[in-house]
Amino acid sequence: MEVGKRFKIACIGAGNVGATAAQYCAEMELGDVVLTDIVEGLPQGKALDLTQAGPIRGYGSIVTGTNDYADIEGADVCIVTAGLPRKPGMSRLDLLEKNARIITDICEKIAKYAPDTVVVLVTNPLDVMAYLAYQKLGFPSARLVGMAGCLDSARLRAFVAMELNVNMKNVDTMVLGSHGDDMVPLPEYTTVSGIPIAKLMSQDRVDALVERTRKGGGEIVALLKTGSAYYAPGASAARMAQSIIRDEKQILPCSTLLTGQYGLEDVYIGAPVVLGKAGVEQVLELDLTDDQRAALHASAGEVREGIKGLQELGIL
Ligand code: A3D
C-alpha cells in the first residue's frame, strides 16, 4: 500500500498571526504544523492547546511547538511572522533594523534546515522584508513570496459584500502594490458573481470602500488599542500555504520579485501570481490605467526607500 506524504508547515513566530495561521493550517489538514518561537514555552503551550482542539474540530494534523530551529527540518512551507511590533517612541527606521536582523537570522536557519521549502513571509514592513529575505536565503525568487495582497483584497471583498448585503464568496477583486497606504486596489477588477461593481454601486461608494481598504490595518489597530489584526492575516497566510501544498495554482495577489513586469524590476511588490508547488509559478501582468501605473511605481519607490535604508545600515 502506498503511504501518502504528510506535509509539514513551519510557522516561525508563534505570536498572534503565527498561531492563527497554524490553527487554520491544522483545521484545513494541510499537514503537520511546527510552531517555532524564541520565547520558551509559548510555542509549546499554543501547540498543545491546538492539539487538544483537534478532537473537537475534527482534524488530525499534529501540531508541535519548539524553540529549536532544527525541528523545522524538511518543512514544505515556512510561514514567517516573527518580528517586533512598532512600540511607542520607536522610529520606523528602528523597527526596520530590528525586524531586518530577526529576518536575517531566520533566513540562515531556513536555508540550513529547510533548503527546499517555499517561504511565505508576513513580517512588516512586508515588501522590504520580502526583498531582504530573498537576498539572504539565496533561493530562487519563486520560493520566497510575501503575504499582503491576499489580506488587502479580502478586506475589500468583505467591505463590498457588507455594502451590498451579499455573500462574500461571490465577491472577487485584485489589489496591487505595496502593503500600506500606497496599495493600489483595482475597482475595475472587482466583481460580484461576474457583475462589475460599477454596475452595483456609485463611484463615490466604490471610492469610500477602496479608501477603507487602504486604511484597513489601521482601523483594526485603533479598535484593538494593543496589537494588530491577526485572524484575516493568519487566514491569508494559510490560504497561500494551501495553494502551494496542494499545487492548486490559485491566482492570488502576493508580494513577488518583479523582473520587468509593469516596468519594474529588482523590487518585491504586490502583483497577481499563480501559486503552486514550485511557489510563484507565474507573475501576471494586467492592463493598468496611467494613474494606476503611476501609483504602482510610487508604491515601488517607497519599497526602494526601505531597501536603501537597509543598505545604509549595512544589513543588505
Ligand atoms: P506578535 O504577536 O508580537 O508575534 C511576533 C512573534 O515573533 C512573538 O511571539 C515573538 O516572540 C516572535 N519572535 C521575535 N523574534 C523571533 C525570532 N528570532 N525567531 C522566532 N520568533 C521570534 O506579532 P503578530 O503575530 O501580530 O505580527 C507578526 C508580524 O506580522 C509583525 O511584523 C506584523 O507587523 C506583521 N503583520 C503583517 C501583516 C501583513 O499584512 C503584511 C498583517 C498582520 C501582521
Side-chain angles (χ1 to χ4, degrees):
M1 188 171 69
E2 197 185 329
V3 179
K5 173 177 159 70
R6 283 183 82 91
F7 289 99
K8 179 167 170 178
I9 302 120
C11 292
I12 303 179
N16 282 338
V17 181
T20 308
Q23 178 187 348
Y24 288 127
C25 287
E27 293 218 336
M28 292 191 285
E29 295 195 306
L30 295 185
D32 296 328
V33 180
V34 180
L35 261 177
T36 313
D37 204 287
I38 45 167
V39 178
E40 280 182 28
L42 178 78
Q44 292 88 345
K46 289 192 179 182
L48 195 56
D49 199 5
L50 278 170
T51 300
Q52 291 163 1
I56 303 166
R57 300 291 301 154
Y59 56 77
S61 296
I62 297 166
V63 187
T64 49
T66 183
N67 305 114
D68 182 357
Y69 278 98
D71 293 329
I72 71 166
E73 185 164 16
D76 299 283
V77 171
C78 291
I79 298 175
V80 178
T81 65
L84 299 180
R86 194 155 151 205
K87 301 204 176 95
M90 196 191 242
S91 73
R92 255 176 207 284
L93 197 65
D94 279 350
L95 180 71
L96 184 71
E97 178 173 5
K98 291 211 161 58
N99 281 352
R101 296 207 186 280
I102 291 171
I103 294 302
T104 301
D105 178 49
I106 288 171
C107 287
E108 258 175 45
K109 307 288 192 333
I110 292 176
K112 180 171 176 191
Y113 293 110
D116 299 321
T117 197
V118 179
V119 177
V120 174
L121 192 102
V122 182
T123 305
N124 273 321
L126 190 271
D127 304 277
V128 181
M129 291 299 128
Y131 184 83
L132 171 72
Y134 161 64
Q135 294 289 340
K136 297 289 177 187
L137 282 167
F139 291 0
S141 60
R143 291 201 283 119
L144 186 286
V145 59
M147 187 294 288
C150 263
L151 170 63
D152 297 328
S153 59
R155 284 181 174 147
L156 182 53
R157 288 170 68 191
F159 294 148
V160 168
M162 285 152 66
E163 174 88 6
L164 297 172
N165 196 21
V166 297
N167 193 318
M168 336 215 165
K169 286 192 281 188
N170 291 152
V171 184
D172 214 349
T173 187
M174 185 51 64
V175 175
L176 307 185
S178 68
H179 183 55
D181 291 353
D182 294 317
M183 74 179 72
V184 187
L186 300 180
E188 309 70 341
Y189 290 93
T190 306
T191 56
V192 184
S193 285
I195 308 162
I197 49 165
K199 303 230 179 271
L200 299 169
M201 64 178 86
S202 69
Q203 190 58 44
D204 283 356
R205 290 310 302 153
V206 173
D207 292 346
L209 300 187
V210 163
E211 194 50 24
R212 191 172 177 195
T213 302
R214 226 184 266 289
K215 306 243 152 57
E219 183 178 1
I220 291 178
V221 169
L223 289 166
L224 293 179
K225 314 250 179 355
T226 56
S228 52
Y230 52 95
Y231 291 113
S236 301
R239 182 77 199 77
M240 290 167 65
Q242 177 188 329
S243 194
I244 296 163
I245 281 179
R246 297 194 176 147
D247 196 24
E248 288 177 352
K249 302 193 193 301
Q250 292 262 355
I251 297 176
L252 297 169
C254 298
S255 182
T256 190
L257 185 76
L258 293 189
T259 54
Q261 302 91 338
Y262 301 98
L264 292 166
E265 58 188 330
D266 199 34
V267 68
Y268 260 76
I269 198 124
V273 306
V274 176
L275 263 194
K277 70 170 187 283
V280 174
E281 298 184 352
Q282 288 180 58
V283 179
L284 306 183
E285 213 166 341
L286 305 175
D287 287 336
L288 300 183
T289 64
D290 289 346
D291 284 353
Q292 287 164 344
R293 200 176 166 84
L296 188 63
H297 280 242
S299 198
E302 285 295 313
V303 180
R304 288 206 167 103
E305 279 300 305
I307 293 172
K308 208 167 117 209
L310 292 182
Q311 286 161 341
E312 284 165 7
L313 289 164
I315 296 173
L316 250 181

